[in-house]
Amino acid sequence: MSVCLGGSVVHAEREVVVVGGGHNGLVAACYLARAGVAVTVLEAAEVAGGGSRTEETIPGFRFDTHSAAHNIINMTSIPEELDLSGAGLHYVEMDPFALGVAPGQAPLRFFRSIDATIAALAKDDPAEAARYGAWMDWAVPTVDAAVGFLEAGGPRTALPATFASLRALRRIGGPTAMVAATTAPYGSLLSSLFATERVRAPVAAFAAHASVGPDAAGGAYFAIWQAAYHRFGQWHAIGGSQALADALVRRLNLYGGQLVTGCSVVAIETRAGAVSGVRSADGVRYRADAVLAAIHPHAAFDLVEPAPSGPVVEGLRAAHAGNAVQLVVHVATTVLPAYPGAVAGDWNGLQSHVGTIAELAQAFAEAQARLVPREPPTYAFTPSALDPELAPPGRHTVYLACPCAPATVQGGWTLHRDTFAEAMIDHMEAHAPGFRDSIIDWHVRTPETMASELRLPGAHPMHLDITMDQLGPVRPTRALGDHHTPVAGLLLAGAGSSPTGGISGLPGRNAARRLLADWRRKRS
């Protein structure tokens, strides 16, 4: 195959098709193209990015359509390895990374610095501040161990990272202590750690990002992840989440790969149990020595012709995804939300409007039952506070999200969309008086919208739950945790594959590395 880009011709021995032009697919393609592989990325939408897109959903105002902060990818070496800053990607830190907002009280601030956070909490409640500091003494090495495994691609692939992680585990009492802490629900963990909802609720709001409720077994891990924001920060991509996808496309082009948008894949073709190519909806066939499916793993297997069968495929069908997912409201305003007692910088990170863990648990339970939560938990990002070009001069973008809207709801989302959004705006008004009067326009993105636009079964932002039984080397299942599938040459590379979902790029990089390692072994 010869690919002509910018006047140069790149000849490659191997041809790979990546299905899905979200950030994971683009990351995978960049690593393969950098290694001299001829790579073609096929993306059904007209613009690459998937869940990391930014669009003008309200005239003059640009909003992230799904992801609003890039955290895990900035805990990895991917941006440096691919020189994404050289491709135009620039991040600004969101500090404080979280703000706890409650009616009639000054905001509670969580800074990148643990010491600064403890000092801020101490002004409100010295005892809670001391408890938070003691928790971080335990949680930081726990997170160091987890990030070491994530970055390494699993304990089997990078001994130095594994040894570092094991040293961190010893600091917290060994694997037994970690398992005991991380198998609890995060609601019970936070209730045992802190005396007040004032501290519990903002931490729970961040944990709920995982689409896991506070009563779910194994959810404690996502509350402990609070320490990761202290260790590695929380980051906004200048220009919005789309800036990540755009930088990856530029880097892919420089490496000699190609991206085809508006190309819907209808089949992954096989011959004698191995992939042979990919067929698009318009009848074009792309020959391939391997295919990386950076899409929902269920959707990947649904494309394979002839359909695969067997225990591995059936095991994937049993992988679970809850009915509690995200609903997002884009709000264009004349001013930032007027939180009583707010100071400069308070609009940098996530602004939690979660009142109590009990309210959060009730809303998750209702969503799982296909009901509209009576009190939708809400959190806000105000990216225009850090990135003024997202809005017209003197105007702002407010990104409201509920982490537990039902993917499938009784009566359908057409019936509930506007009243749900109004309830979230009422929630903001109670915490930021005058918010409703500041609104210029708003735009709702329901789970149905996201499922349709992203071709995402169940609208789950992580494809599948990221509970402990579907995380790391057992994601999406133990049999598929190394990215290989029963179809030779077909690898999983999306958010539903190892090690985790979210904006990380790790599934894409790991899948590319697996494929390259396969080929090296065959040559030796």
Side-chain angles (χ1 to χ4, degrees):
M1 176 181 180
S2 297
V3 180
C4 183
L5 288 165
S8 64
V9 177
V10 178
H11 297 281
E13 179 184 350
R14 303 276 192 174
E15 295 178 314
V16 174
V17 171
V18 177
V19 180
H23 82 284
N24 276 310
L26 293 171
V27 166
C30 284
Y31 278 94
L32 292 171
R34 189 177 69 166
V37 178
V39 183
T40 301
V41 180
L42 304 181
E43 166 56 40
E46 296 298 329
V47 179
S52 57
R53 296 219 333 239
T54 306
E55 296 179 357
E56 191 173 310
T57 57
I58 297 173
F61 295 80
R62 290 179 56 78
F63 289 88
D64 295 327
T65 57
H66 204 276
S67 67
H70 294 183
N71 301 320
I72 300 179
I73 195 168
N74 283 298
M75 302 174 192
T76 77
S77 54
I78 291 172
E80 182 180 2
E81 289 174 352
L82 297 179
D83 186 20
L84 295 183
S85 63
L89 177 63
H90 301 291
Y91 283 108
V92 59
E93 187 165 8
M94 305 164 79
D95 194 22
F97 64 80
L99 195 74
V101 184
Q105 295 178 298
L108 204 61
R109 301 173 182 90
F110 297 82
F111 295 94
R112 171 79 179 274
S113 163
I114 294 175
D115 288 342
T117 301
I118 292 171
L121 297 179
K123 294 178 182 178
D124 190 78
D125 187 329
E128 288 286 70
R131 295 184 188 104
Y132 191 88
W135 183 43
M136 284 300 113
D137 286 342
W138 186 92
V140 166
T142 305
V143 163
D144 285 344
V147 171
F149 283 123
L150 290 176
E151 172 70 1
R156 294 171 292 178
T157 58
L159 287 176
T162 301
F163 290 147
S165 297
L166 291 174
R167 285 195 297 271
L169 282 174
R170 283 197 296 271
R171 287 177 55 197
I172 61 172
T176 301
M178 185 174 183
V179 169
T182 56
T183 54
Y186 66 79
S188 61
L189 173 71
L190 294 174
S191 295
S192 70
L193 289 170
F194 301 108
T196 66
E197 294 290 348
R198 181 94 159 117
V199 177
R200 295 171 188 159
V203 179
F206 250 127
H209 270 71
S211 296
V212 174
D215 291 337
Y221 176 81
F222 305 109
I224 294 167
W225 199 249
Q226 177 91 354
Y229 304 116
H230 289 297
R231 291 283 286 116
F232 303 98
Q234 180 174 227
W235 302 89
H236 167 78
I238 294 297
S241 286
Q242 185 73 47
L244 171 61
D246 291 347
L248 287 166
V249 171
R250 294 187 196 102
R251 187 57 66 206
L252 177 63
N253 289 339
L254 288 170
Y255 288 151
Q258 64 175 344
L259 166 69
V260 182
T261 57
C263 181
S264 181
V265 172
V266 296
I268 297 173
E269 299 176 336
T270 67
R271 185 181 299 116
V275 298
S276 58
V278 167
R279 191 173 71 251
S280 66
D282 56 6
V284 176
R285 184 179 183 279
Y286 297 82
R287 197 193 79 78
D289 296 296
V291 172
L292 269 62
I295 56 177
H296 195 292
H298 289 166
F301 278 106
D302 288 343
L303 291 174
V304 177
E305 293 183 352
S309 61
V312 173
V313 177
E314 293 307 311
L316 176 62
R317 298 299 177 196
H320 54 88
N323 196 54
V325 298
Q326 274 202 341
L327 181 143
V328 172
V329 184
H330 295 161
V331 186
T333 66
T334 56
V335 294
L336 291 167
Y339 304 129
V343 299
D346 280 351
W347 297 272
N348 289 350
L350 177 143
Q351 297 137 49
S352 167
H353 298 269
V354 174
T356 68
I357 289 176
E359 291 172 7
L360 191 62
Q362 178 66 31
F364 266 94
E366 289 166 339
Q368 293 290 14
R370 299 175 57 240
L371 300 174
V372 173
R374 287 168 290 178
E375 296 289 338
T378 302
Y379 60 82
F381 286 102
T382 48
S384 57
L386 291 167
D387 193 355
E389 293 188 4
L390 294 174
R395 300 291 186 261
H396 286 282
T397 59
V398 181
Y399 172 109
L400 301 181
C402 173
C404 51
T408 302
V409 64
Q410 294 181 15
W413 270 111
T414 300
L415 174 66
H416 298 293
R417 179 189 60 217
D418 292 340
T419 53
F420 197 98
E422 289 279 4
M424 293 172 68
I425 290 170
D426 286 343
H427 207 67
M428 287 291 294
E429 176 68 25
H431 293 184
F435 179 74
R436 184 174 285 278
D437 289 341
S438 75
I439 295 175
I440 299 169
D441 198 359
W442 46 279
H443 169 82
V444 185
R445 296 181 56 78
T446 68
E448 284 181 353
T449 304
M450 298 182 191
S452 174
E453 288 186 3
L454 299 178
R455 292 164 176 78
L456 187 60
H460 199 296
M462 310 289 183
H463 293 188
L464 299 167
D465 290 343
I466 52 173
T467 46
M468 297 302 287
D469 62 323
Q470 295 184 162
L471 187 64
V474 294
R475 183 172 182 82
T477 64
R478 184 178 300 277
L480 293 167
D482 66 352
H483 300 273
H484 294 104
T485 72
V487 181
L490 174 63
L491 284 79
L492 301 178
S497 60
S498 178
T500 188
I503 301 295
S504 75
L506 289 169
R509 185 180 71 175
N510 291 357
R513 286 177 169 177
R514 292 285 191 275
L515 181 60
L516 294 172
D518 291 345
W519 288 344
R520 283 194 298 269
R521 281 193 295 270
K522 288 179 180 178
R523 286 198 301 266
S524 61

PDB file of all heavy atoms in Angstrom, residues 290-303:
ATOM      1  N   ALA A 290      -4.472  -6.337   9.972  1.00  0.00           N
ATOM      2  CA  ALA A 290      -5.021  -6.314  11.330  1.00  0.00           C
ATOM      3  C   ALA A 290      -6.029  -5.182  11.412  1.00  0.00           C
ATOM      4  O   ALA A 290      -5.954  -4.198  10.661  1.00  0.00           O
ATOM      5  CB  ALA A 290      -3.922  -6.123  12.372  1.00  0.00           C
ATOM      6  N   VAL A 291      -6.971  -5.330  12.330  1.00  0.00           N
ATOM      7  CA  VAL A 291      -7.973  -4.294  12.582  1.00  0.00           C
ATOM      8  C   VAL A 291      -7.991  -4.008  14.072  1.00  0.00           C
ATOM      9  O   VAL A 291      -8.073  -4.938  14.891  1.00  0.00           O
ATOM     10  CB  VAL A 291      -9.371  -4.733  12.116  1.00  0.00           C
ATOM     11  CG1 VAL A 291     -10.429  -3.724  12.561  1.00  0.00           C
ATOM     12  CG2 VAL A 291      -9.407  -4.912  10.601  1.00  0.00           C
ATOM     13  N   LEU A 292      -7.892  -2.738  14.419  1.00  0.00           N
ATOM     14  CA  LEU A 292      -8.058  -2.312  15.802  1.00  0.00           C
ATOM     15  C   LEU A 292      -9.422  -1.658  15.920  1.00  0.00           C
ATOM     16  O   LEU A 292      -9.700  -0.669  15.225  1.00  0.00           O
ATOM     17  CB  LEU A 292      -6.958  -1.338  16.225  1.00  0.00           C
ATOM     18  CG  LEU A 292      -5.701  -1.968  16.853  1.00  0.00           C
ATOM     19  CD1 LEU A 292      -5.019  -2.895  15.858  1.00  0.00           C
ATOM     20  CD2 LEU A 292      -4.740  -0.887  17.325  1.00  0.00           C
ATOM     21  N   ALA A 293     -10.283  -2.210  16.764  1.00  0.00           N
ATOM     22  CA  ALA A 293     -11.631  -1.700  16.932  1.00  0.00           C
ATOM     23  C   ALA A 293     -11.667  -0.769  18.133  1.00  0.00           C
ATOM     24  O   ALA A 293     -11.719  -1.223  19.277  1.00  0.00           O
ATOM     25  CB  ALA A 293     -12.619  -2.844  17.115  1.00  0.00           C
ATOM     26  N   ALA A 294     -11.605   0.529  17.874  1.00  0.00           N
ATOM     27  CA  ALA A 294     -11.644   1.536  18.937  1.00  0.00           C
ATOM     28  C   ALA A 294     -13.075   2.020  19.116  1.00  0.00           C
ATOM     29  O   ALA A 294     -13.354   3.224  19.133  1.00  0.00           O
ATOM     30  CB  ALA A 294     -10.705   2.683  18.611  1.00  0.00           C
ATOM     31  N   ILE A 295     -13.967   1.063  19.257  1.00  0.00           N
ATOM     32  CA  ILE A 295     -15.390   1.310  19.437  1.00  0.00           C
ATOM     33  C   ILE A 295     -15.875   0.414  20.566  1.00  0.00           C
ATOM     34  O   ILE A 295     -15.100  -0.340  21.154  1.00  0.00           O
ATOM     35  CB  ILE A 295     -16.172   1.026  18.138  1.00  0.00           C
ATOM     36  CG1 ILE A 295     -15.916  -0.415  17.662  1.00  0.00           C
ATOM     37  CG2 ILE A 295     -15.793   2.014  17.042  1.00  0.00           C
ATOM     38  CD1 ILE A 295     -16.697  -0.818  16.421  1.00  0.00           C
ATOM     39  N   HIS A 296     -17.149   0.500  20.876  1.00  0.00           N
ATOM     40  CA  HIS A 296     -17.719  -0.362  21.913  1.00  0.00           C
ATOM     41  C   HIS A 296     -17.419  -1.816  21.567  1.00  0.00           C
ATOM     42  O   HIS A 296     -17.594  -2.250  20.422  1.00  0.00           O
ATOM     43  CB  HIS A 296     -19.222  -0.133  21.986  1.00  0.00           C
ATOM     44  CG  HIS A 296     -19.876  -0.676  23.210  1.00  0.00           C
ATOM     45  ND1 HIS A 296     -19.977  -2.028  23.462  1.00  0.00           N
ATOM     46  CD2 HIS A 296     -20.475  -0.051  24.266  1.00  0.00           C
ATOM     47  CE1 HIS A 296     -20.605  -2.219  24.607  1.00  0.00           C
ATOM     48  NE2 HIS A 296     -20.917  -1.037  25.120  1.00  0.00           N
ATOM     49  N   PRO A 297     -16.944  -2.625  22.537  1.00  0.00           N
ATOM     50  CA  PRO A 297     -16.579  -4.004  22.200  1.00  0.00           C
ATOM     51  C   PRO A 297     -17.740  -4.831  21.669  1.00  0.00           C
ATOM     52  O   PRO A 297     -17.545  -5.691  20.805  1.00  0.00           O
ATOM     53  CB  PRO A 297     -16.035  -4.559  23.526  1.00  0.00           C
ATOM     54  CG  PRO A 297     -16.528  -3.633  24.584  1.00  0.00           C
ATOM     55  CD  PRO A 297     -16.647  -2.298  23.940  1.00  0.00           C
ATOM     56  N   HIS A 298     -18.956  -4.576  22.148  1.00  0.00           N
ATOM     57  CA  HIS A 298     -20.106  -5.294  21.600  1.00  0.00           C
ATOM     58  C   HIS A 298     -20.299  -4.931  20.129  1.00  0.00           C
ATOM     59  O   HIS A 298     -20.556  -5.806  19.284  1.00  0.00           O
ATOM     60  CB  HIS A 298     -21.372  -4.949  22.388  1.00  0.00           C
ATOM     61  CG  HIS A 298     -21.400  -5.515  23.766  1.00  0.00           C
ATOM     62  ND1 HIS A 298     -22.303  -5.095  24.717  1.00  0.00           N
ATOM     63  CD2 HIS A 298     -20.651  -6.473  24.358  1.00  0.00           C
ATOM     64  CE1 HIS A 298     -22.105  -5.763  25.842  1.00  0.00           C
ATOM     65  NE2 HIS A 298     -21.103  -6.597  25.649  1.00  0.00           N
ATOM     66  N   ALA A 299     -20.171  -3.649  19.818  1.00  0.00           N
ATOM     67  CA  ALA A 299     -20.325  -3.211  18.431  1.00  0.00           C
ATOM     68  C   ALA A 299     -19.245  -3.813  17.547  1.00  0.00           C
ATOM     69  O   ALA A 299     -19.489  -4.140  16.378  1.00  0.00           O
ATOM     70  CB  ALA A 299     -20.284  -1.683  18.364  1.00  0.00           C
ATOM     71  N   ALA A 300     -18.042  -3.965  18.094  1.00  0.00           N
ATOM     72  CA  ALA A 300     -16.946  -4.550  17.317  1.00  0.00           C
ATOM     73  C   ALA A 300     -17.281  -5.974  16.888  1.00  0.00           C
ATOM     74  O   ALA A 300     -17.135  -6.339  15.713  1.00  0.00           O
ATOM     75  CB  ALA A 300     -15.655  -4.514  18.127  1.00  0.00           C
ATOM     76  N   PHE A 301     -17.741  -6.794  17.827  1.00  0.00           N
ATOM     77  CA  PHE A 301     -18.074  -8.179  17.489  1.00  0.00           C
ATOM     78  C   PHE A 301     -19.290  -8.257  16.571  1.00  0.00           C
ATOM     79  O   PHE A 301     -19.391  -9.164  15.739  1.00  0.00           O
ATOM     80  CB  PHE A 301     -18.298  -8.999  18.756  1.00  0.00           C
ATOM     81  CG  PHE A 301     -17.021  -9.485  19.374  1.00  0.00           C
ATOM     82  CD1 PHE A 301     -16.518  -8.904  20.529  1.00  0.00           C
ATOM     83  CD2 PHE A 301     -16.306 -10.519  18.798  1.00  0.00           C
ATOM     84  CE1 PHE A 301     -15.334  -9.348  21.095  1.00  0.00           C
ATOM     85  CE2 PHE A 301     -15.117 -10.979  19.355  1.00  0.00           C
ATOM     86  CZ  PHE A 301     -14.626 -10.380  20.508  1.00  0.00           C
ATOM     87  N   ASP A 302     -20.211  -7.300  16.700  1.00  0.00           N
ATOM     88  CA  ASP A 302     -21.387  -7.290  15.820  1.00  0.00           C
ATOM     89  C   ASP A 302     -21.007  -7.042  14.360  1.00  0.00           C
ATOM     90  O   ASP A 302     -21.743  -7.423  13.451  1.00  0.00           O
ATOM     91  CB  ASP A 302     -22.371  -6.208  16.268  1.00  0.00           C
ATOM     92  CG  ASP A 302     -23.095  -6.573  17.566  1.00  0.00           C
ATOM     93  OD1 ASP A 302     -23.088  -7.763  17.934  1.00  0.00           O
ATOM     94  OD2 ASP A 302     -23.643  -5.654  18.197  1.00  0.00           O
ATOM     95  N   LEU A 303     -19.854  -6.410  14.127  1.00  0.00           N
ATOM     96  CA  LEU A 303     -19.422  -6.119  12.759  1.00  0.00           C
ATOM     97  C   LEU A 303     -18.727  -7.289  12.077  1.00  0.00           C
ATOM     98  O   LEU A 303     -18.584  -7.302  10.855  1.00  0.00           O
ATOM     99  CB  LEU A 303     -18.459  -4.914  12.762  1.00  0.00           C
ATOM    100  CG  LEU A 303     -19.050  -3.547  13.103  1.00  0.00           C
ATOM    101  CD1 LEU A 303     -17.928  -2.511  13.211  1.00  0.00           C
ATOM    102  CD2 LEU A 303     -20.065  -3.110  12.042  1.00  0.00           C
TER     103      LEU A 303
END
